[in-house]
Amino acid sequence: MNVNRVVVVGAGLAGVRSVEALRARGFGGRITLIGQERHRPYDRPPLSKAVLLGSADSSFVDSDLDALEVDFRPGVSAKSLRAGVVETTEGELGYDGLVIATGAEPIPLPGDGPQHVLRTLDDSLELRARLVPGARVVVAGAGWIGAEVATAARRAGCAVTVLEAGRTPLAQAVGEEIGARTESWYDGIDLRLDTMVASVDEGGVELVGGGFVEAHVVVAGIGVRPAVEWLAGSDVDLHNGVVTDERLRTSLPGVVAVGDCAAWWSSRYGTRLRVEHWDTALSAPEVAAATLLGEEAVYDPVPYFWSEQFGHMVQYAGHHPAGERLLYRGGPEGKWSACWLTAEGGLAAVLAVDRPRDLVQGRRIIQEGRRLYAERLVDPDVPLRDCVV
Ligand code: FAD
């Protein structure tokens, strides 16, 4: 099919990278980029780090939308989709190629009391203004975002309580065993595990099972859901986000999906993956653009992400559910890495804490599907690449 008019819905990283990738492949037709937010595209990782800590005020993506000749429409939302037409808050837009890049939105806590979420630049600036010395801050959720917010709040001199439903921090993301290794990082913070918020009320939060934690500031860090409500009733298959094949095609012809909202078929892992991390939003658009333009391309990455919390750089590559055995390089008190090995001795995933070399080498080993000598691997002084069979 000849593509002349592309509409990109969602002006986050995945949206803007889709525009760039289309132009880089020589697409000379019309591109319209619509974004619910009033800002031009920006990166989200600094929102819970440099912006929240006060060392930056914004994180705009270095992308020249004029030079890309894109019709950028900030403050416009897609409301619904039918074949060939996106209905927006400012009328209909016809397309013959469509990129769905609407990302994800935070899940709020129950209750009528005031609460913050952290997804947008405005969220971050609003929250930052509330993180003042002595403020009592309750963070619900000890996942990636919760840990980073707690880091910033602590550094700002707040009295921080973190409420986590699981038995350890990060349990949902990487399992309790790894999560337990991060518990000591919460030094100076009132970390309450096995604790759930029943509701946010005026002046604090009510806990499931009774009890009230007073707070000036309540932050919900309990996860996100794909922002796909506008696709309800369309012919796009939805199941934990927008369902795509390994070429990022949705069930509707001429429509691809990328970033946090896309659940793509991973040939590498033989399962569907939806990864809510920056590297996916950065890299998937290359494949989506190629697919839209009728080229052969497959999206088959080794997922990667990082988090900066409590002075530690945590980096992860791979897909640990594919692993059977968990081995450590180094004790929990210093710099360490965790390696998940498959039944065949391959590396399923690596999580590195302040050991960036392990991450780089591990990521390559996973990509190349190499096997490792387990007995060498547990010696943190042996470079990971020297553990390859
Ligand atoms: P988004 O960034 O969510 O962009 C989607 C855009 O679409 C949004 O602007 C939204 O307003 C817009 N939109 C939604 N619905 C509509 C609609 N109907 N019509 C029009 N527009 C719409 N990842 C890491 O790997 N490491 C990190 O350290 C890290 N830190 C993070 C910190 C924070 C605070 C947050 C929020 C995320 C962080 N991430 C991190 C995750 C990473 O930022 C996301 O994976 C990435 O932003 C996803 O990009 P996206 O373009 O798919 O979605």
Side-chain angles (χ1 to χ4, degrees):
M1 194 178 79
N2 235 1
V3 179
N4 296 306
R5 287 173 311 167
V6 173
V7 172
V8 179
V9 183
L13 181 64
V16 74
R17 287 284 299 128
S18 298
V19 173
E20 289 174 346
L22 284 162
R23 290 295 187 228
R25 300 190 108 77
F27 177 66
R30 181 165 181 183
I31 305 181
T32 306
L33 172 65
I34 70 169
Q36 190 166 272
E37 294 181 63
R38 298 202 170 270
H39 297 291
R40 63 191 160 89
Y42 59 88
D43 270 325
R44 293 185 201 277
L47 303 183
S48 50
K49 307 174 185 69
V51 175
L52 204 55
L53 289 163
S55 55
D57 292 325
S58 65
S59 53
F60 292 112
V61 172
D62 184 16
S63 181
D64 187 341
L65 297 178
D66 290 334
L68 288 166
E69 294 186 21
V70 53
D71 173 16
F72 173 45
R73 310 213 187 152
V76 175
S77 297
K79 293 198 303 186
S80 65
L81 174 68
R82 61 179 195 273
V85 181
V86 181
E87 172 84 30
T88 80
T89 44
E90 291 193 353
E92 292 191 342
L93 278 176
Y95 71 83
D96 43 36
L98 177 71
V99 181
I100 299 173
T102 43
E105 53 204 10
I107 300 168
L109 293 163
D112 299 328
Q115 61 176 290
H116 292 259
V117 292
L118 182 48
R119 185 74 194 176
T120 66
L121 180 55
D122 297 343
D123 293 339
S124 181
L125 294 174
E126 261 173 45
L127 178 58
R128 181 171 90 182
R130 305 290 313 277
L131 301 184
V132 293
R136 296 169 78 96
V137 176
V138 165
V139 182
W144 303 117
I145 297 285
E148 292 189 357
V149 170
T151 302
R154 189 80 198 93
R155 224 178 270 178
C158 305
V160 186
T161 301
V162 175
L163 308 173
E164 165 56 47
R167 281 192 290 191
T168 72
L170 298 178
Q172 231 186 323
V174 286
E176 289 177 5
E177 198 179 315
I178 302 278
R181 284 193 160 216
T182 73
E183 258 180 70
S184 61
W185 299 355
Y186 286 72
D187 190 30
I189 288 174
D190 180 8
L191 172 65
R192 303 196 198 172
L193 301 167
D194 271 322
T195 305
M196 270 179 87
V197 172
S199 72
V200 183
D201 299 336
E202 213 44 65
V205 298
E206 194 79 46
L207 302 179
V208 169
F212 189 82
V213 184
E214 284 182 18
H216 302 115
V217 182
V218 177
V219 187
I222 56 171
V224 295
R225 56 183 159 230
V228 294
E229 258 174 45
W230 66 282
L231 293 166
S234 73
D235 285 334
V236 170
D237 272 358
L238 299 175
H239 183 71
N240 179 28
V242 179
V243 173
T244 82
D245 65 8
E246 70 281 5
R247 299 177 58 191
L248 302 175
R249 290 179 298 197
T250 72
S251 54
L252 192 59
V255 181
V256 292
V258 283
D260 278 13
C261 68
W264 79 92
W265 180 257
S266 164
S267 318
R268 179 184 296 274
Y269 297 110
T271 186
R272 199 166 289 292
L273 295 181
R274 192 173 66 75
V275 173
E276 296 159 353
H277 293 297
W278 185 88
D279 192 59
T280 307
L282 182 80
S283 59
E286 284 293 334
V287 172
T291 297
L292 261 196
L293 300 179
E295 297 166 33
E296 289 293 323
V298 166
Y299 189 54
D300 198 17
V302 171
Y304 164 75
F305 67 84
W306 81 99
S307 169
E308 293 160 46
Q309 46 182 281
F310 309 111
H312 297 285
M313 172 58 100
V314 182
Q315 294 167 290
Y316 174 103
H319 178 61
H320 65 273
E324 291 221 325
R325 207 153 50 118
L326 184 51
L327 298 175
Y328 293 97
R329 290 166 58 74
E333 58 296 325
K335 302 174 177 187
W336 53 273
S337 298
C339 295
W340 286 264
L341 295 188
T342 65
E344 298 76 35
L347 188 59
V350 56
L351 178 139
V353 176
D354 303 319
R355 291 180 61 98
R357 283 204 184 117
D358 279 1
L359 187 283
V360 172
Q361 294 174 18
R363 195 176 182 183
R364 194 167 308 141
I365 290 165
I366 299 169
Q367 246 146 10
E368 293 170 357
R370 312 288 291 272
R371 286 187 301 124
L372 296 171
Y373 288 115
E375 61 281 9
R376 272 199 218 163
L377 182 152
V378 293
D379 182 348
D381 293 331
V382 177
L384 207 46
R385 62 164 177 255
D386 293 344
C387 302
V388 168
V389 173

